[in-house]
């Protein structure tokens, strides 16, 4: 009888769950990258203010550990700037990877995710589509695809954890926690 490892090498029908890990340098190098990218992509700020929550994103940049990122919490804390500008700039400049974000409210237009990344800004704002009596939740579908096809999942939301569970259910929130490092963004809005 063959050993499991030998069998697995020759078996094309068995899915091995192994996520791609990324690192953009040490924590201090990633902090410099993060701050530089933030200033470059958000020209609306007059002075950069480093929030404690950003350190969790910077830690993730130093080693993603094969997980995506879920930025969740209060409005005006930089979640969308990070997801739609900072991370795409860093991934492109340092790894040659394209992260193309989509606003959750436009998810109903997406028929498939062709890249190894699923990047959705502001989940909780999307419509539930009714297709001949069948309700289709595009966020749930994206999360299932990220898990099934081992894609890096990056999300933002202004909803809190309780509201996420109420809207999508415990099962989806549990999947998000499995697929992503969750960073809670709390405090007053920085928008002026």
């Amino acid at each position: 009888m063959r050993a499991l490892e030998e069998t697995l090498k020759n078996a094309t029908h068995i899915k091995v769950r192994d996520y791609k890990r990324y690192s953009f340098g040490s924590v201090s190098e990633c902090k410099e990258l993060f701050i530089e990218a933030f200033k470059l992509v958000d020209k609306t700020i007059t002075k950069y203010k480093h929030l404690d929550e950003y350190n969790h994103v910077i830690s993730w940049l130093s080693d993603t550990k094969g997980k995506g990122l879920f930025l969740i919490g209060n409005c005006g804390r930089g979640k969308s700037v990070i997801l739609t500008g900072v991370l795409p700039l860093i991934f492109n400049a340092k790894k040659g990877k394209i992260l193309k974000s989509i606003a959750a409210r436009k998810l109903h237009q997406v028929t498939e995710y062709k890249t190894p990344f699923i990047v959705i800004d502001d989940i909780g704002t999307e419509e539930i589509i009714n297709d001949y009596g069948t309700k289709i939740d595009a966020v749930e579908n994206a999360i299932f695809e990220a898990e099934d096809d081992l894609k890096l999942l990056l999300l933002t939301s202004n909803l809190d954890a309780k509201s996420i569970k109420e809207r999508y259910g415990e099962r989806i929130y549990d999947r998000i926690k499995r697929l992503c490092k969750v960073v809670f963004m709390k405090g007053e809005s920085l928008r002026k």
Side-chain angles (χ1 to χ4, degrees), residues 176-192:
I176 291 171
K177 290 189 309 184
R178 177 176 179 264
L179 296 169
C180 299
K181 175 177 182 158
V182 180
V183 177
F184 294 95
M185 313 285 271
K186 298 179 180 179
E188 299 286 320
S189 173
L190 299 176
R191 293 186 185 128
K192 303 268 185 218

Side-chain angles (χ1 to χ4, degrees), residues 83-115:
L83 188 82
T84 65
V86 173
L87 296 180
L89 179 57
I90 291 171
F91 267 79
N92 190 253
K94 299 300 179 185
K95 301 292 182 186
K97 303 292 183 187
I98 305 292
L99 300 184
K100 189 168 181 349
S101 65
I102 184 162
R105 67 184 183 284
K106 295 181 181 178
L107 272 180
H108 64 279
Q109 300 168 359
V110 177
T111 55
E112 75 177 296
Y113 298 93
K114 296 179 182 179
T115 71

